[in-house]
Amino acid sequence: MPDPRRARVSDHATIVECVHQWWGDSRTPEQARELSLLLPKLFLQFFSGTSLVLEDESGIRAFLVGFYSADNETEAYVHFVGVDPTLRGQGAARRLYTTFFQRAAEAGRTEVRAITSPGNAGSIAFHRAMGFTLEAGDRVVDGLSLHSDYDGPGQDRVCFYRRIGRGESAFATSGWL
Ligand SMILES: CC(C)(COP(=O)(O)OP(=O)(O)OC[C@H]1O[C@@H](n2cnc3c(N)ncnc32)[C@H](O)[C@@H]1OP(=O)(O)O)[C@@H](O)C(=O)NCCC(=O)NCCS
């Protein structure tokens, strides 16, 4: 598999189609379409330079949509990551995050944030494996610190935080953190 490449606005339609397909098994088609609404074209129009795609001869196999805060000079944010189910567990998302960390650190960013739903155990385990800590929320359920109503009524979230910096590649690729 080649190195991740910078995303392009022309990837948008394919990425939306990937979400429909990759989540087609675990969700209804309607739910998969709803999920893809988290990826309107604006993310590729305005943040393709900080978003990444992993592709092979068959096309896009994984992607990361992320950006650097416009409100401060320290934070970077991963909005959405997706991996083809047939490629999961083989380090694709680790490669995307590692590249994102390296580029963000080179651009002077010192911290990365991301969120997920409390029920997304795979995402929580993945972010922990990538060295993220859970930011303290307002209540603890099943050992998880939750931020109640974070994205609106009933939309609780788990919030991840990780510092990045010099030497990022050595830490991130060896899995020390
Ligand atoms: C979560 C997801 C991005 C992980 O992608 P992946 O390519 O399978 O992850 P990797 O193979 O790079 O795994 C990296 C590390 O995370 C761990 N990890 C990944 N998925 C895991 C899971 N479901 N359960 C436990 N650990 C997991 C791996 O064990 C690995 O740890 P290690 O390097 O210390 O051995 C992928 O499963 C996915 O696309 N899920 C659906 C979308 C989603 O939930 N996105 C996140 C919220 S937007």
Side-chain angles (χ1 to χ4, degrees):
M1 181 81 59
D3 288 338
R5 68 160 170 83
R6 180 189 192 279
R8 300 188 276 260
V9 67
S10 57
D11 294 323
H12 179 254
T14 308
I15 287 174
V16 168
E17 184 54 32
C18 287
V19 172
H20 294 168
Q21 285 180 10
W22 297 348
W23 275 265
D25 290 346
S26 56
R27 300 179 185 225
T28 66
E30 186 51 38
Q31 288 171 330
R33 268 194 297 279
E34 274 175 24
L35 190 64
S36 70
L37 295 179
L38 290 173
L39 289 169
K41 188 178 279 193
L42 71 88
F43 282 103
L44 280 302
Q45 283 174 317
F46 297 105
F47 303 113
S48 57
T50 50
S51 298
L52 296 161
V53 161
L54 256 185
E55 65 184 348
D56 63 14
E57 59 288 342
S58 65
I60 293 179
R61 305 294 306 281
F63 65 86
L64 180 160
V65 172
F67 52 87
Y68 304 157
S69 173
D71 286 347
N72 63 65
E73 294 181 347
T74 59
E75 288 178 277
Y77 187 83
V78 177
H79 171 63
F80 201 111
V81 61
V83 177
D84 182 334
T86 64
L87 195 68
R88 289 185 191 163
Q90 298 174 48
R94 177 176 280 284
R95 289 180 66 197
L96 289 169
Y97 269 66
T98 299
T99 303
F100 184 79
F101 293 162
Q102 288 169 344
R103 293 186 182 182
E106 283 164 17
R109 302 289 157 157
T110 55
E111 47 200 312
V112 179
R113 287 194 151 76
I115 63 169
T116 201
S117 302
N120 195 339
S123 174
I124 294 166
F126 165 73
H127 282 91
R128 282 184 159 142
M130 290 304 302
F132 285 85
T133 55
L134 270 62
E135 291 195 282
D138 57 293
R139 65 197 171 102
V140 175
V141 177
D142 295 334
L144 280 182
S145 195
L146 305 188
H147 297 247
S148 302
D149 302 329
Y150 182 91
D151 268 336
Q155 301 297 317
D156 303 347
R157 296 290 181 264
V158 175
C159 299
F160 302 111
Y161 170 83
R162 186 192 193 278
R163 289 195 62 81
I164 55 171
R166 290 172 191 276
E168 191 53 50
S169 57
F171 283 115
T173 53
S174 69
W176 292 351
L177 289 179

